[in-house]
Structure formats: structure tokens, C-alpha cells
Amino acid sequence: MNEIRDIVNARWRGETPIYVIGLALMALCIGLLAACGIAPSFGATWVNTRLFGLCLAIIIAVDAARQLYIHRPDSPIALLKARYSGPEFITKALAGLPMLAVAIILLPFFSKMKSAIPLFNDYTWDNTFVEWDRAIFFGYDAWEVIQPALGFPFVTAFLAFLYHVWILLLYPGVLFFAFGKMSSDLRRQFFLTYVLSWSVIGGAMATWLASVGPVFVGPLLGDTRFDEQMAYLRAANEQIPILVLPVQEMLLERYATADNGLGSGITAMPSMHVAIAFLFWIAMRQISQRLGMFFAAFFVITWISSVHLAYHYAVDGLVSVIAVLGIWWGSQRIIAAWDRFLEARGQAALRTNTVPAE
């Protein structure tokens, strides 16, 4: 038990900056919302807890089935008991719990801040981002450039499906980084970047650069420039279900009713879909070359899909990539500075303990 305690405490000490920054950002969110008359609510946190719990249960069930298939034990109960009550499993579970708690708390408060953007800033940036896209694509909107290659109902439906699969990054993906086997430096850099990305990119930058994206400029701002794109998506939906359309309608309904629950809120710049997909790529490629290749492809598809499905302008993804790179770089230096502090404190304690008595 002492060994388990030492391993767990060592990991918790190393991750302290992430806990502190996460709690500080949560307190800031609560303060900003309270200033606007929005009281903290933990209903969405409970929903998020159940989603993470369901994912954990599925992962353990799949792992148990795999172990039973591989080992074919005489006593399945004994094998599973040894696996899930042994020191290695207990150590891994205890060590990852605080990081799991950060992930559970983070998303609901992000959703509240996302829904509250109109309280802090008006949606005034869409025209600017349309012009940026047209400057990049020689006078065309980004969706028009990729439409000849992607403008087929089956392709659109497949991309819409993959766009929804992205949510797996937030649950099984985060659980992998909380409990999976990897270097401490990579785990901490990933999680600090993850926390700061939701807060800085999805919170502060989204509020500063308030925009609604192509799908919502018509109903919310009266801008008809993307009516043709939406007409294509609706026509494609008549041939094969385009999964994003019901979600887009739900977001409009929640916006109209000021619903600030988990997954609500409208914002385009920057794209959190692209930001998180990019973060997973730069982290996963340090674990394995194959994972790096897979997540590189997923990142590119996510960026293209965000434009094709009318959620985002192309520059939304570009700004997200640049911001994540900056946060990744900064997170590495924060972690390194904390490690130097812990090392200096340890050396000072060692010197104190080894000074001979007078």
C-alpha cells in the first residue's frame, strides 16, 4: 500500500498546476456568469459524470471480454478479480481520478460560457471572416471551392457522421490520457493544453471574436450569402440523413430559449472541433506513428467537414490550429517550470535532512 500511495502522490504532485489552473478558470467562469445573473448549476456536470461513467463501464466490459477470450480461464471470476483489484489497476485508477474530475467539470462550464457569449459581446465578426476566406480562396467562399469534390449526398452524410464521431475524443479519448500508459510529460502537456484550449480558445477567443458561422448567419443575422449551401444540405438530407441538420436546428431552438445546458451555445470562431482534433494529433503522434497518421487524417477531415457542413469558415480552423500550437508550447514550459520547482524543493529538503546535528 505504501508503494501505491507514493506513486499516486507523485503523479498528483506533478499534475498540481493543471488542477490549480482548472479550478481557477472554473472560479472565473462562475464569477463572470454570476455577474450576469446566472447562478451556477451542476445538472450538466451530473450528465457529464454519467457519460464518463458509461464510457468507463464499456471500456472495462470490453477489456474483461478480451481477457477472458485470450486466457480462457477455469475461473473467469478469479481472473477478473485479480485483474481489477490488483495493485496495478488500483494505482492507475487512483492516480487518474483527479484528472478525470477536471474533465468532468470543464465541459459543462464551457457550455455555459458559450451560451452566454451574447451577454458579453455581439455577433459582429462574421462578415470579416467571410472576407478572410474569400481573400484566401481568390474571391470564393471556402465551401464553394470544395463543393465539386464533396457535394454528393452520400459523401456529405459520411462526413456528418464523422463530425459526430468527434465526440469520442471528449470521452474515451480523454479517459485514455487520464488512465493510459504514457510518459508523464506527455500526459500533463496534453491535459494542460486541453484545459486551456477550452478556456482560452472556446471561451475567451470565442467571446472576443463572436461569430455564428455560415449555418446561422441567415436565421440570426439575416445574411443570405450561405443560403445556397444550406439548400444543398437540405436537399441532400432528403436522399440520405445528414446528421448535423437536426443538431443545428436544436442549437437554434436552445438559443431562442436561452438554454445553457451541456452542448448548447452558438459560436464559430475559433473551431473547437478543429482545435481538439489537432491536439489529439500532436499528442498521439508521440505515442505511435500509426496513431499519429490516423489522427492526422481525422484532423484534416474534421477541418474540411466543418466547412462543408456549414458550421465554420475555413479561417476558424486556421486560427484554432495556431492557438493550440501556442498553448501546447506554453503548457510544456509551465510543466517544465513546475518540475524544476519540485526538484529544487526536493534537493532543499534532502540537504536539510542530511545536515549533521551540532
Side-chain angles (χ1 to χ4, degrees), residues 32-290:
L32 290 172
L33 292 170
C36 296
I38 301 175
S41 171
F42 294 94
T45 303
W46 172 236
V47 172
N48 213 31
T49 301
R50 286 186 291 174
L51 288 172
F52 271 108
L54 176 61
C55 287
L56 273 172
I58 293 173
I59 291 170
I60 291 175
V62 171
D63 179 72
R66 179 175 176 271
Q67 294 301 318
L68 293 175
Y69 177 78
I70 292 173
H71 298 288
R72 310 290 177 92
D74 294 332
S75 175
I77 294 177
L79 178 112
L80 297 180
K81 182 179 179 181
R83 180 169 180 80
Y84 300 119
S85 63
E88 181 179 354
F89 183 84
I90 292 174
T91 301
K92 186 183 299 185
L94 291 175
L97 281 178
M99 203 61 76
L100 175 59
V102 170
I104 288 173
I105 294 171
L106 178 67
L107 285 182
F109 281 95
F110 161 76
S111 290
K112 278 184 174 290
M113 289 300 300
K114 183 179 177 182
S115 300
I117 285 176
L119 299 177
F120 298 99
N121 199 9
D122 295 328
Y123 290 117
T124 58
W125 281 85
D126 284 88
N127 188 65
T128 299
F129 301 143
V130 170
E131 294 304 318
W132 287 5
D133 264 14
R134 290 180 176 178
I136 294 172
F137 294 101
F138 305 100
Y140 293 93
D141 292 315
W143 80 271
E144 294 178 303
V145 175
I146 61 178
Q147 184 68 6
L150 304 179
F152 304 93
F154 177 79
V155 175
T156 301
F158 180 64
L159 292 178
F161 169 75
L162 291 181
Y163 204 72
H164 280 269
V165 168
W166 172 88
I167 199 171
L168 296 179
L169 301 183
L170 307 186
Y171 292 97
V174 166
L175 289 173
F176 170 76
F177 277 96
F179 299 105
K181 186 177 182 180
M182 68 194 68
S183 73
S184 172
D185 289 345
L186 176 60
R187 188 195 315 276
R188 291 182 296 164
Q189 189 175 5
F190 168 85
F191 268 110
L192 187 51
T193 305
Y194 184 79
V195 168
L196 290 174
S197 291
W198 283 108
S199 305
V200 175
I201 300 174
M205 292 180 68
T207 302
W208 169 38
L209 303 170
S211 58
V212 299
V215 62
F216 298 122
V217 291
L220 295 185
L221 305 180
D223 189 328
T224 62
R225 280 179 287 190
F226 294 93
D227 285 1
E228 184 180 349
Q229 182 180 14
M230 296 309 302
Y232 161 74
L233 292 174
R234 295 187 184 101
N237 189 57
E238 294 178 1
Q239 299 184 41
I240 183 171
I242 308 300
L243 297 179
V244 298
L245 290 180
V247 176
Q248 292 169 352
E249 292 172 3
M250 176 200 70
L251 289 172
L252 270 177
E253 292 173 2
R254 289 188 172 186
Y255 178 83
T257 59
D259 186 342
N260 57 15
L262 185 63
S264 64
I266 291 175
T267 180
M269 168 70 82
S271 168
M272 284 307 298
H273 266 71
V274 174
I276 298 301
F278 181 69
L279 171 59
F280 267 81
W281 171 47
I282 60 178
M284 286 293 191
R285 66 183 184 146
Q286 298 189 35
I287 295 175
S288 96
Q289 184 177 8
R290 288 186 178 181

